[in-house]
Amino acid sequence: MEKGIQHTIRQYDEAFSKCREIFVKKTRDYGTSWRMLRPKSITDQLYIKAKRIRTIDEKGTQKVAESIEGEFEACVNYGIMALIQLQLDDREAIELTETHAMQLFDEQYNIVKELMLAKNHDYGEAWREMRISSDTDLILTKLHRVKQIEDNKGKTLISEGVDGHYKDIINYSIFALIKLEEQKK
């Protein structure tokens, strides 16, 4: 079995590729209507997705046929949308061209991937030994922190800003997708 950082990069890129494909298709269906969402609303959308994952995990059953993988993929995409929204000026057009939207999406992906590589180096792939339920709990914790920072109008005394939390949420979601894929094999 393939091991090491190249294996991780391949799995990471494969998981992210599925998320990107969904983003492209939704952009073709809806345009960039998500640009109407303020960062707080995107945070709440992320919360809804992560809370559903946790609720299903705790109850052991689900009644809506949408998959857990789909919820983690949504967390990746909403996280990228949040990062893009933080980057863009409010005066920028709501409707972006597909090319521009995908350029912004890919730029954020590269930033998030670089963060993963740096942390993966320092932490020695500890995420592989974590449970998916811990990924979910960490996502919910990060969202709670983001909500607190948003309620404080973006001010922190010592902590990183919301962008760092969104990046971690994306990475925890991708890690969960990788582990879910490994469980299928």
Side-chain angles (χ1 to χ4, degrees):
M1 175 180 248
E2 185 182 16
K3 296 285 183 199
I5 193 63
Q6 292 308 317
H7 178 61
T8 296
I9 291 171
R10 185 183 56 75
Q11 288 181 303
Y12 190 92
D13 288 342
E14 285 174 5
F16 197 85
S17 171
K18 291 177 186 174
C19 300
R20 187 182 191 281
E21 184 179 323
I22 292 165
F23 188 85
V24 168
K25 288 177 180 176
K26 291 211 176 200
T27 299
R28 289 180 183 155
D29 285 349
Y30 303 127
T32 55
S33 59
W34 53 268
R35 289 267 300 123
M36 294 294 297
L37 297 170
R38 291 174 283 186
K40 288 181 180 183
S41 297
I42 296 175
T43 300
D44 288 343
Q45 286 298 307
L46 280 159
Y47 177 78
I48 289 167
K49 299 299 183 183
K51 181 67 175 169
R52 180 173 182 264
I53 295 166
R54 184 172 172 165
T55 301
I56 291 168
D57 183 50
E58 288 173 347
K59 290 183 177 183
T61 61
Q62 68 185 74
K63 292 190 176 187
V64 177
E66 296 169 4
S67 71
I68 298 301
E69 290 89 347
E71 300 294 20
F72 280 117
E73 290 164 347
C75 286
V76 170
N77 287 342
Y78 275 118
I80 296 283
M81 288 176 211
L83 292 170
I84 292 170
Q85 287 291 69
L86 291 173
Q87 173 189 345
L88 293 180
D89 189 294
D90 287 342
R91 294 177 303 244
E92 187 143 359
I94 296 298
E95 198 53 45
L96 306 174
T97 66
E98 181 181 329
T99 302
H100 188 205
M102 295 317 302
Q103 175 191 3
L104 294 169
F105 190 90
D106 290 340
E107 285 172 8
Q108 291 304 319
Y109 166 67
N110 289 327
I111 291 168
V112 171
K113 183 178 176 182
E114 286 302 316
L115 176 65
M116 179 278 294
L117 291 169
K119 286 189 173 186
N120 206 47
H121 173 272
D122 290 356
Y123 290 93
E125 296 206 327
W127 63 270
R128 289 192 179 274
E129 298 171 36
M130 292 170 50
R131 296 175 186 94
I132 293 171
S133 60
S134 294
D135 293 323
T136 305
D137 290 350
L138 287 166
I139 291 167
L140 286 165
T141 300
K142 294 283 182 180
L143 288 167
H144 185 76
R145 291 175 182 174
V146 168
K147 287 173 145 186
Q148 187 65 47
I149 294 168
E150 289 171 343
D151 290 347
N152 291 337
K153 300 187 181 354
K155 294 185 169 107
T156 60
L157 299 174
I158 192 169
S159 305
E160 65 185 336
V162 295
D163 61 325
H165 294 294
Y166 286 135
K167 291 171 189 172
D168 287 343
I169 289 166
I170 294 164
N171 278 326
Y172 286 125
S173 297
I174 292 175
F175 295 156
L177 288 166
I178 290 169
K179 289 182 266 192
L180 287 167
E181 185 63 31
E182 286 177 340
Q183 287 177 1
K184 290 179 187 176
K185 296 178 180 180

